[in-house]
């Protein structure tokens, strides 16, 4: 199949199958020897593990591609139910016990769900950093357990001081960048470009972030005092963003980033013709890695490498010397492969497929 005949979804699926086969040698060998079709292997790799590979290989050899798809769907239903049961058990077993010992010390013991535990670990790490790095408290004489206790105390004080309301998700999870207008318009111009905590970032990084973000313009006096703060606005208004998502689909990803082809800080308009929806990886490539993006008169986007050479829409196909059919046959013979009209014929004799019974027999978690 020509490379340009594959849509993005089909290409991703082939990459997924290839990565799965790296840990499933029996399925990979069966595919390589022509014993299983790609359609069967594609389905089986959705559920196969090194422990269940042998059983599922038998399913692939015995049934048709339709049989395999039906069994895989049943297998996944059992997996989802088992996963749901496990998640429900974890949720039911959560708990936090806080009680006072005889000496007056308070003991904390508990079990948290994985995502809540990760949140607590991140919060404790941030509190430890504030206490022992930013504030300057010496950590040399404190064990990790003592640092964790101090961090928990800081978290409690902070929550009570600022209130328990975590705010909307958009306010909770954001990165604030301070950048001077000259540096934003031209990365070669001097000026600050720093995160909220003072960490320096490149001007191009600021330009990338500012392409699609909330924007607040502040004016400073010569001594650094803030003399005026404008209202917060969206760089790309919601209605225009919806149109942009509908048109571009952002490299095929759901959450793309709006990119100003000519940056708004340089006078570029925030219009559909001056915008492109890019995934995070390609947005960074355009800003920080020197790649160039332009819109042609026909409306199509054209990408260029940092040296100015145009990127082709699809890679050139590899050159196959001589007769490809003869070469393939010679390679098969050298590897001892005897491929014929009956190589991929399953062992099915026309009997009815009982999916429920098959899953009960095959799946290790079926009951």
């Amino acid at each position: 199949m020509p490379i340009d005949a594959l849509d993005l979804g089909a290409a991703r699926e082939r990459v997924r199958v290839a990565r799965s086969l790296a840990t499933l040698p029996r399925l990979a060998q069966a595919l390589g020897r022509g014993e299983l079709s790609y359609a069967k292997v594609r389905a089986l790799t959705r559920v196969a593990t090194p422990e269940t590979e042998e059983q599922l290989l038998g399913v692939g050899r015995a049934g048709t591609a339709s049989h395999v798809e039906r069994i895989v769907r049943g297998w996944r239903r059992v997996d989802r139910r088992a996963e749901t049961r496990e998640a429900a058990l974890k949720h039911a077993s959560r708990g936090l016990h806080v009680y006072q010992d005889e000496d007056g010390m308070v003991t904390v013991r508990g079990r948290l769900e994985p995502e809540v535990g990760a949140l607590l670990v991140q919060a404790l790490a941030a509190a430890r950093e504030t206490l022992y790095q930013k504030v300057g408290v010496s950590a040399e004489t404190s064990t990790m357990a003592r640092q964790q206790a101090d961090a928990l105390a800081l978290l409690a004080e902070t929550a009570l001081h600022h209130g328990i309301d975590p705010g909307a998700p958009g306010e909770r999870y954001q990165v604030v960048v301070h950048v001077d207008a000259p540096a934003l318009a031209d990365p070669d111009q001097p000026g600050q470009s720093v995160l909220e905590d003072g960490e320096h970032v490149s001007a191009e990084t600021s330009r990338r972030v500012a392409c699609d973000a909330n924007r607040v313009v502040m004016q400073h006096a010569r001594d650094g005092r803030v003399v005026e703060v404008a209202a917060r606005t969206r760089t790309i208004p919601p209605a225009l963003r919806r149109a942009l998502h509908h048109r571009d689909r952002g490299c095929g990803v759901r959450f793309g980033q709006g990119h100003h082809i000519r940056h708004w800080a340089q006078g570029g308009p925030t219009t559909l013709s001056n915008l492109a929806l890019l995934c995070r990886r390609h947005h960074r490539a355009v800003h920080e890695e020197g790649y160039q993006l332009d819109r042609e008169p026909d409306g199509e986007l054209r990408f260029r490498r940092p040296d100015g050479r145009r990127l082709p829409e699809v890679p050139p196909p590899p050159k196959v010397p001589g007769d490809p059919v003869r070469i393939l046959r010679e390679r098969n013979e050298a590897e001892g492969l005897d491929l014929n009209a009956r190589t991929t014929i399953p062992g099915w004799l026309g009997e009815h497929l009982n999916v429920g019974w098959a899953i009960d027999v095959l799946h290790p978690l079926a009951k």
Side-chain angles (χ1 to χ4, degrees), residues 233-268:
T233 60
R234 284 292 302 174
T235 304
I236 303 176
L240 185 56
R241 165 171 291 283
R242 287 193 292 271
L244 184 62
H245 271 274
H246 179 75
R247 187 193 67 184
D248 288 359
R249 309 281 181 190
C251 305
V253 299
R254 183 179 177 186
F255 300 107
Q257 297 180 338
H259 169 69
H260 283 72
I261 297 175
R262 177 175 174 79
H263 204 280
W264 58 262
Q266 295 177 318

Side-chain angles (χ1 to χ4, degrees), residues 42 58 62 66 71 102-103 111 138 143 216 225 234 252 307 312:
R42 178 185 59 196
S66 176
I71 288 178
E102 295 178 354
D103 61 355
R111 281 171 54 84
S138 175
T143 64
V216 177
R225 291 181 298 104
R234 284 292 302 174
D307 60 7

